[in-house]
Amino acid sequence: MIVRRRGVVLGLVAIPFVSGGVGGCSSAGPVSDPTASATASAKRRRSTVVIEPPEGWQLHYPPAGAVGLVARVIRFPHVRKDEEGIVVGFYDHGGKKVDVEADMRRWVAQEGAKKYPDAQFLGMRSLGGELAAGASFTRKRDEGVSYAVQRWEVWRDDEGLWDFELRSAPDVSVIAPELIAALDTVTWVDVPPSFRCSPALSSDMDC
């Protein structure tokens, strides 16, 4: 399938920002600087992650109000309960900065080791120009189905912690190479794409 590339129409998602005001109206008091307020507010807006979906896959944004989950790359067409793909989550961590390398190493040594005997630290890489720390492991569901998984954490200043989880097909020991390659296309934009899901960034097809 050949898709003609063109620009994506974008809109803005903002995290509420509360700014303290001046208590009185005296001309002698400090004067609010609209430019400074706008700058401070912009720093607290969460970006939207964009991933170029490989052929046969689609980029999907969940409905408004979804907690944690902010984007997925899934098969096109998608079969319900199919876990294969990329799941992206976001956590603000209350503004407390996270050292992703230290955090991922700790996760592998503690929680990871308890739940996933084969958990191992994958090292560092760049995701969309940001430093990411990764780990791999095998997740087994209660019904006996297993998935090969990679987790990558990214901290973005003035935003929070981003979590990228790549999952294989059921009972397959390796993740699809095109999903791993798709990480090289990660970007962050100030405004989200106009579509909820699309088999290519150049398409506004609402799947």
Side-chain angles (χ1 to χ4, degrees), residues 7-178:
V8 175
V9 179
L10 307 172
L12 181 65
V13 174
I15 293 176
F17 173 71
V18 179
S19 176
V22 178
C25 298
S26 170
S27 60
V31 178
S32 175
D33 181 351
T35 303
S37 298
T39 301
S41 178
K43 288 183 179 179
R44 293 181 180 258
R45 291 172 180 153
R46 174 172 64 78
S47 300
T48 294
V49 67
V50 177
I51 305 172
E52 179 71 51
E55 185 175 356
W57 299 79
Q58 61 180 310
L59 175 62
H60 176 270
Y61 293 98
V67 179
L69 175 66
V70 296
R72 297 179 67 192
V73 174
I74 52 182
R75 290 279 184 187
F76 178 73
H78 182 247
V79 177
R80 188 179 294 273
K81 294 185 178 181
D82 183 1
E83 295 191 29
E84 185 181 19
I86 302 174
V87 178
V88 185
F90 174 80
Y91 313 93
D92 64 21
H93 272 255
K96 184 179 179 181
K97 186 169 184 176
V98 175
D99 179 331
V100 292
E101 180 176 7
D103 189 61
M104 188 60 76
R105 287 185 181 276
R106 179 201 57 76
W107 182 86
V108 169
Q110 297 177 21
E111 291 99 317
K114 290 178 182 178
K115 296 180 180 179
Y116 314 110
D118 63 343
Q120 60 179 328
F121 182 66
L122 291 179
M124 311 295 291
R125 62 160 293 165
S126 174
L127 281 183
E130 304 283 358
L131 194 62
S136 65
F137 56 95
T138 301
R139 175 182 290 139
K140 292 185 178 180
R141 297 300 190 190
D142 292 339
E143 60 272 21
V145 180
S146 63
Y147 298 86
V149 180
Q150 283 189 13
R151 272 192 64 210
W152 293 92
E153 284 188 349
V154 175
W155 175 264
R156 300 197 81 214
D157 290 335
D158 299 314
E159 290 189 0
L161 186 69
W162 294 79
D163 185 278
F164 294 75
E165 186 169 293
L166 288 70
R167 302 170 182 171
S168 72
D171 293 325
V172 175
S173 60
V174 294
I175 296 168
E178 65 266 30

Side-chain angles (χ1 to χ4, degrees), residues 1-4 54-57 76 199-200 203 205:
M1 177 179 67
I2 299 176
V3 181
R4 182 164 57 87
E55 185 175 356
W57 299 79
F76 178 73
S203 166
M205 176 180 178

